[in-house]
Amino acid sequence: MDKRENFGGMAAVIMALAGSAIGLGNIWRFPYVVGQNGGAAFVFVYIIATIFLSLPIFFAESVIGRRSGANCRGALARLAPGTKWHLFGLLCVITPMLIVSYYSVVGGWSLDYLFKAATLSFTGGAGAGGGFGSFVSSVWEPLLAHTVFLLVCIGIIFGGVRKGIGKVSKIGMPILFLLIVVIVVYSLSLRGAGKGAAYLLQPDFSKLTAKTVLDAIGQSFYSLSLGMGIIITYSSYVKKSENLLVTGFGTATADLLFAMLAGMAIMPAVFAAGIAPGSGPGLIFDTLPFIFSSMGQQMPALTAIASVLFFLTVLFAAVTSAVSLLEVGVAYLTEEFKMSRIKAGILAFIFAWTLGALCSLSFGPLSGVQLFGLGIFDLLDRFCSNVLLIAGGLLCVVFVGWKMKRSDVYDEFTNSGTKRLNARLFGFIYFVIRYLAPVAVLLVFLSSVL
Ligand code: PFF
C-alpha cells in the first residue's frame, strides 16, 4: 500500500478540521438563521445540539476515517467488506461534490464584494445595499467570481494534503480569528449595538418551537461539516498517534466560538442600523454594505477598512471549507481510479464549475427553470442540506453504532489502548452514537422531508 499523506501534528489537524468546519455556515448562514428563529433561545439550543449530538457524530465519522485510512468509499468497503455499505461511502462522495458547486457561487459573491469594498464601491452609498439582487441576477460578474474562487481552491488542492490544505489552514485560521475579533470590536462600538448583542445572548425560551429545535440541529450539522464524508476523509489523514477526542473537542470549540463571534460581528451592526434580523439569506450581502456605507458618512476610512476586513474574513472562511468539500472527491478519484492529484483536481473543477454556473445563472437567465417552485440553486441547496446531508449523518451513526464492533470503536479512541479514556465518557459517546443520534437525526430527516 502507498504511504498515505497526513496533516502532520495535532495543531495542523485541528486547524485543517476547523478550516473545514468554519465557513459560510458560520458567517453567512448562522446569523440569518438566528435572525429567522428569534435570537438567543435558538443559539442556546444550537450550542446544546453541537455538544451532545453533533460532536458524537463527528467522533463517529472520525473513527471511520482514521480506522480505514481511506477515501469515503474505500473506507466503508474496507471496514465492511462484501456488504453494500460502500454505496453509503459513494453517497458521501457525491454530496460534497454537489454542495461545492453552489457553495463556490456564494464564495464568489464574497470575492466580488471584497473587490467592491476594496475599490470603495460601498462607501459612497449609491448602489450599496439593495444592489445584491441585481448583482446575483446578472450573468458575467457572478460567473467570473465563481470561476476565480474555484481556481483558488483547486490551486490549494494541487498543493497536497500537508503542504496545500494543512499549510493554508495553519496560516489562515489564526488570521481568520484575528480578523473576526477586530470586526466584533468595530461592530460593538456602533451606536445601538447593545440590542444586537442582547438579541444573541439573552434567551427568551417562550420563542422556542419544534421548528427552532430542528433548525438548530440542522445548523449544527452543517456547521461541523457532518454527514458528507469530509470528516471521514480528513480523519483518514490523521496519524494513528493523535487523540481523536482532542481533535473533535478542539474543532467543535473553534467552530462554536467562531459562530458566536460572527453573530457578534453581524447582529450589533444589523440592530444599530435598525434592519430586521430575520431578513434571510441576503442578510450579510444585502445589509452589511448598506450598514457600512451609512456609517461611513461619519468615518469613511474606518468604514472602508471594516468592510474590506469583513469580506476578507468571509472569503477566507469559504475557501478552506470549499477545499474540504473538494478534497472528498479528489481523494476518491486518486485512490479508487489511481489518478494523479492534478487530473483528479481538474475533473472536480470541471464538475463543480459547470453545475455551479447553472446555479449562478438560476438567479438570472435560468430563473424560469424551476421544480417545486424552486430554482436550481435553491433546489440543490435544499436537497443537499435537508436530505443528503442528514441521510449521510444517519447512515454514519448507524454504521459505527451497529455495524462496527464496540471494541474497535474503543480501540480508535484509545489509540489501541495506549491512551487513557474515562469509561463513563466513552460510554456516553457510544450511547449517543448508538441510540440517541439515530433517533434525533431520523426526526430531523423526517421533518425536513415531510
Ligand atoms: N462546515 C462548513 C460551513 O459551515 O460552511 C462547510 C460546509 C458544510 C459547507 C456543509 C456546506 C455544507 F452543506
Side-chain angles (χ1 to χ4, degrees):
M1 198 174 72
D2 293 342
K3 180 137 177 26
R4 216 177 142 74
E5 267 208 275
N6 62 58
F7 281 126
M10 181 67 89
V13 172
I14 295 182
M15 293 298 173
L17 283 164
S20 166
I22 297 170
L24 293 170
N26 303 59
I27 198 162
W28 167 59
R29 199 174 191 271
F30 179 70
Y32 85 73
V33 181
V34 170
Q36 286 173 332
N37 281 286
F42 172 89
V43 175
F44 179 80
V45 182
Y46 161 73
I47 294 173
I48 298 289
T50 300
I51 299 170
F52 292 102
L53 187 62
S54 300
L55 186 54
I57 299 177
F58 186 100
F59 285 138
E61 290 202 26
S62 311
V63 164
I64 297 180
R66 219 258 303 259
R67 189 146 194 92
S68 63
N71 71 88
C72 291
R73 204 209 69 89
L76 273 295
R78 243 180 231 188
L79 297 179
T83 68
K84 293 264 179 284
W85 277 100
H86 67 103
L87 294 177
F88 157 52
L90 206 56
L91 175 77
C92 286
V93 177
I94 294 167
T95 308
M97 283 311 299
L98 294 177
I99 292 179
V100 76
S101 57
Y102 68 85
Y103 197 83
S104 90
V105 172
V106 185
W109 296 347
S110 62
L111 179 66
D112 193 278
Y113 270 54
L114 171 63
F115 184 74
K116 287 193 170 96
T119 52
L120 304 182
S121 309
F122 294 139
T123 50
F132 180 65
S134 59
F135 160 65
V136 292
S137 57
S138 64
V139 175
W140 297 111
E141 203 178 321
L143 264 188
L144 179 67
H146 161 61
T147 311
V148 176
F149 179 87
L150 254 187
L151 282 175
V152 170
C153 297
I154 287 292
I156 296 171
I157 292 276
F158 283 169
V161 171
R162 192 191 283 224
K163 294 209 180 111
I165 305 173
K167 210 166 188 179
V168 169
S169 311
K170 227 169 150 180
I171 299 170
M173 283 294 115
I175 297 178
L176 201 61
F177 270 91
L178 197 70
L179 284 173
I180 196 81
V181 169
V182 172
I183 302 162
V184 169
V185 172
Y186 170 78
S187 199
L188 286 175
S189 72
L190 300 173
R191 200 176 308 141
K195 274 195 205 138
Y199 184 75
L200 269 180
L201 299 176
Q202 285 176 0
D204 171 1
F205 289 110
S206 66
K207 289 205 175 124
L208 275 191
T209 61
K211 179 186 172 291
T212 317
V213 175
L214 295 174
D215 277 359
I217 296 175
Q219 171 61 25
S220 148
F221 273 31
Y222 189 102
S223 196
L224 265 187
S225 301
L226 300 181
M228 59 179 118
I230 294 181
I231 308 304
I232 297 180
T233 306
Y234 269 26
S235 299
S236 75
Y237 301 131
V238 175
K239 285 195 239 161
K240 291 285 178 198
S241 54
E242 306 299 354
N243 186 335
L244 290 186
L245 280 179
V246 177
T247 56
F249 275 118
T251 309
T253 308
D255 189 48
L256 273 180
L257 187 63
F258 196 90
M260 289 310 289
L261 287 170
M264 280 303 223
I266 290 154
M267 281 308 168
V270 167
F271 274 77
I275 287 168
S279 61
L283 189 66
I284 67 165
F285 291 105
D286 218 356
T287 60
L288 280 194
F290 168 71
I291 295 167
F292 286 138
S293 71
S294 57
M295 306 283 162
Q297 276 134 27
Q298 294 110 43
M299 280 183 287
L302 194 60
T303 310
I305 293 170
S307 54
V308 168
L309 291 184
F310 180 76
F311 286 106
L312 195 61
T313 312
V314 182
L315 180 65
F316 259 33
V319 166
T320 47
S321 296
V323 165
S324 73
L325 289 158
L326 286 164
E327 177 62 23
V328 179
V330 169
Y332 168 71
L333 291 174
T334 52
E335 288 169 18
E336 302 280 310
F337 297 94
K338 304 281 166 259
M339 249 179 223
S340 70
R341 238 182 130 72
I342 301 279
K343 199 165 167 194
I346 292 172
L347 279 185
F349 175 88
I350 293 172
F351 178 86
W353 186 88
T354 312
L355 191 55
L358 295 176
C359 290
S360 181
L361 294 172
S362 74
F363 294 104
L366 296 184
S367 60
V369 182
Q370 295 202 344
L371 199 62
F372 309 119
L374 296 170
I376 304 171
F377 183 106
D378 291 330
L379 199 65
L380 204 57
D381 180 28
R382 294 272 178 99
F383 183 59
C384 291
S385 311
N386 297 353
V387 181
L388 293 184
L389 203 144
I390 299 179
L394 180 62
L395 287 166
C396 178
V397 282
V398 169
F399 183 79
V400 176
W402 296 89
K403 176 76 189 158
M404 278 182 82
K405 281 203 225 123
R406 190 180 199 270
S407 55
D408 286 350
V409 179
Y410 185 77
D411 197 60
E412 253 338 285
F413 277 122
T414 57
N415 296 359
S416 309
T418 58
K419 290 242 155 53
R420 278 161 56 89
L421 173 61
N422 181 302
R424 277 207 189 150
L425 180 60
F426 177 72
F428 173 73
I429 295 172
Y430 195 71
F431 172 80
V432 176
I433 293 175
R434 198 166 150 91
Y435 299 106
L436 188 68
V439 175
V441 181
L442 195 64
L443 282 181
V444 177
F445 184 67
L446 290 178
S447 81
S448 62
V449 172
L450 298 177

